[in-house]
Amino acid sequence: FARGTMVYQDFMGTQDLAHDLDTLRRAIGADKLSVWGVSYGTEVGATYATVYPERVDKVILDGNVAISNEIYEAAHLWALSYEQVWNGLAAACNNDFFVAGGIDAPTLPADDFCAATPYPTDKMSKLLETDETLLLMAYTLLGKFFDGYGIMWNGVSPGSAIMMACVESLHKNGDFDGEGCCDYQPEKKCCNGKIQIPANSNTTFQEMEDGNPTVALVRSVDMAGRLSTADIARLWADLRDKHPIGFLRANNIISIVSAPNLPRPVPSYGSGLDKLKPLIIGDFHDPATTYTASQDMRDKFPNGALMSWQGYHHGLFDDGDFGLSDYTSYTFQSEGYGAKDCYDRMLNYLEDGTLPPNGYTCPINGPAAGSLSLKVAKQVPTCPPANAPSP
């Protein structure tokens, strides 16, 4: 990696990918490209539309990542994504309890309420301020139910009801043995025993840091600025102080600020061409990015339209049914009419270029009406043994 020799990271920036896309356009003989970018793809789509605006037909930017090429600001924006998801769930957890009368409504079964109500944020905050074991358990819980196969790709139900049961179990007893708390497997829709925590925090944090190395490499090209070890320590302490629930979401900042390549930041998004009218889609509760990132993207492309979904997911669902065939299903609680409404309007844009009204919002089905209740968590079946015969 000595300077003066080729560093392969120098050719991994988003601008390089935008140029590659235009090479593809020429190779297939197309006058224009339509780009549908989700997550990091929103950076690619926005960069392509900025560098080659005259060669763009339609652009969809869904699950927009935080717009910042400045190290400190980007780190805080990434940390905020966990915070906004937690705050939404905590408010929903309290909602049914207080609407029903709170402590003055003792006749309602306890299972009808979210397990961590009232004041789940106070309970989580106490866990994060206690000894290292409970701290590790709390972050293990957030990582499991927010990232990967949690809310990010499978939505809010029933995982969030189970997570709140685990928060209550940790708060009361310091373990994951409480009612409704289990190692939920979204792909199987069942509980696989008790949640296991790593042997030590260093292993957990290193796995989180290495979770998406390709994106970290790309951003090391896109983002200006490198930090010394002391600067990194100060930034990390500041993140943990200001975003105690979300700071680990910003863990890949460490790889970026210590990368060996010289940065080549992408240009500021946007174009003065009036004909460039992208559809920008934002989720109110996205574990991977903040809702304000979608609002900022709309500001960069003022002739486009921002369409929002009130739900919990990274980008729109696209499974076709949205749970409408079974109103009692987890899918309906996580997606339902609102997700389908946004999806249909997105398809209309792809077909004929019709944008929804700027600021259009698609409603969420849950978490509401008991979708975070302890009853929901306790009803999740146990996974069959690995060697069990198929039914």
Side-chain angles (χ1 to χ4, degrees):
F1 292 118
R3 188 49 51 192
T5 63
M6 185 182 76
V7 179
Y8 74 95
Q9 284 177 242
D10 286 342
F11 303 93
M12 292 189 65
T14 300
Q15 285 194 79
D16 297 301
L17 186 48
H19 298 322
D20 290 343
L21 280 177
D22 203 59
T23 299
L24 171 64
R25 179 195 61 78
R26 294 197 305 269
I28 63 177
D31 293 331
K32 294 185 177 183
L33 282 183
S34 289
V35 182
W36 183 349
V38 180
S39 191
Y40 166 67
T42 62
E43 294 184 68
V44 179
T47 300
Y48 185 78
T50 298
V51 176
Y52 299 105
E54 74 282 359
R55 299 170 191 171
V56 171
D57 182 17
K58 300 181 182 72
V59 180
I60 296 175
L61 304 174
D62 181 12
N64 294 267
V65 298
I67 302 173
S68 177
N69 289 326
E70 198 280 318
I71 292 291
Y72 291 94
E73 182 183 19
H76 285 280
L77 287 172
W78 293 341
L80 277 172
S81 60
Y82 264 24
E83 302 276 342
Q84 70 180 15
V85 172
W86 172 263
N87 290 339
L89 291 173
C93 183
N94 274 331
N95 251 5
D96 288 343
F97 180 78
F98 287 108
V99 169
I103 58 175
D104 295 324
T107 57
L108 295 177
D111 283 10
D112 285 356
F113 297 115
C114 170
T117 200
Y119 310 121
T121 298
D122 290 352
K123 296 174 181 179
M124 178 61 81
S125 296
K126 288 179 181 178
L127 292 172
L128 301 180
E129 295 168 357
T130 52
D131 62 77
E132 184 176 343
T133 299
L134 286 179
L135 175 72
L136 175 58
M137 294 175 78
Y139 282 128
T140 298
L141 194 63
L142 290 172
K144 174 177 179 55
F145 287 100
F146 280 12
D147 270 345
Y149 289 103
I151 289 174
M152 189 175 295
W153 300 121
N154 286 277
V156 73
S157 185
S160 296
I162 297 172
M163 182 186 72
M164 288 301 183
C166 294
V167 169
E168 184 68 9
S169 182
L170 271 182
H171 171 69
K172 279 187 173 180
N173 306 312
D175 57 37
F176 289 136
D177 296 332
E179 280 191 312
C181 179
C182 71
D183 184 8
Y184 180 61
Q185 305 294 309
E187 67 279 11
K188 299 178 181 176
K189 294 182 171 55
C190 59
C191 287
N192 188 30
K194 188 170 76 169
I195 296 174
Q196 302 298 317
I197 62 170
N200 62 73
S201 59
N202 291 333
T203 300
T204 302
F205 299 161
Q206 185 61 43
E207 287 177 352
M208 294 181 73
E209 166 66 17
D210 294 340
N212 202 341
T214 302
V215 172
L217 287 174
V218 172
R219 285 186 172 139
S220 72
V221 180
D222 289 352
M223 299 180 67
R226 296 294 182 263
L227 302 181
S228 67
T229 302
D231 288 334
I232 294 173
R234 283 191 289 270
L235 173 59
W236 196 245
D238 189 43
L239 286 170
R240 183 166 177 174
D241 179 59
K242 293 180 178 177
H243 312 291
I245 290 177
F247 81 98
L248 283 178
R249 182 71 188 131
N251 60 76
N252 65 354
I253 200 73
I254 297 174
S255 296
I256 295 169
V257 299
S258 58
N261 60 288
L262 293 177
R264 288 187 293 111
V266 297
S268 297
Y269 298 150
S271 169
L273 296 181
D274 291 340
K275 60 184 178 182
L276 197 61
K277 299 179 180 180
L279 173 60
I280 298 157
I281 304 172
D283 292 351
F284 283 1
H285 307 97
D286 186 335
T289 186
T290 62
Y291 176 67
T292 55
S294 295
Q295 294 175 309
D296 290 342
M297 187 67 84
R298 167 59 176 74
D299 290 342
K300 301 294 184 180
F301 294 98
N303 298 300
L306 172 61
M307 179 175 69
S308 307
W309 180 49
Q310 294 174 337
Y312 292 75
H313 198 250
H314 185 36
L316 278 183
F317 286 95
D318 60 355
D319 62 10
D321 176 66
F322 300 97
L324 301 186
S325 60
D326 181 3
Y327 297 160
T328 65
S329 67
Y330 300 145
T331 305
F332 183 75
Q333 286 290 339
S334 294
E335 305 173 39
Y337 292 112
K340 187 177 189 306
D341 182 21
C342 272
Y343 185 74
D344 288 345
R345 290 175 183 271
M346 181 181 67
L347 291 183
N348 289 340
Y349 170 73
L350 281 175
E351 290 171 0
D352 59 21
T354 302
L355 285 168
N358 185 41
Y360 185 83
T361 300
C362 307
I364 187 178
N365 292 355
S371 66
L372 293 183
S373 70
L374 179 58
K375 181 190 300 181
V376 169
K378 291 167 65 174
Q379 287 175 345
V380 178
T382 300
C383 296
N387 58 354
S390 300

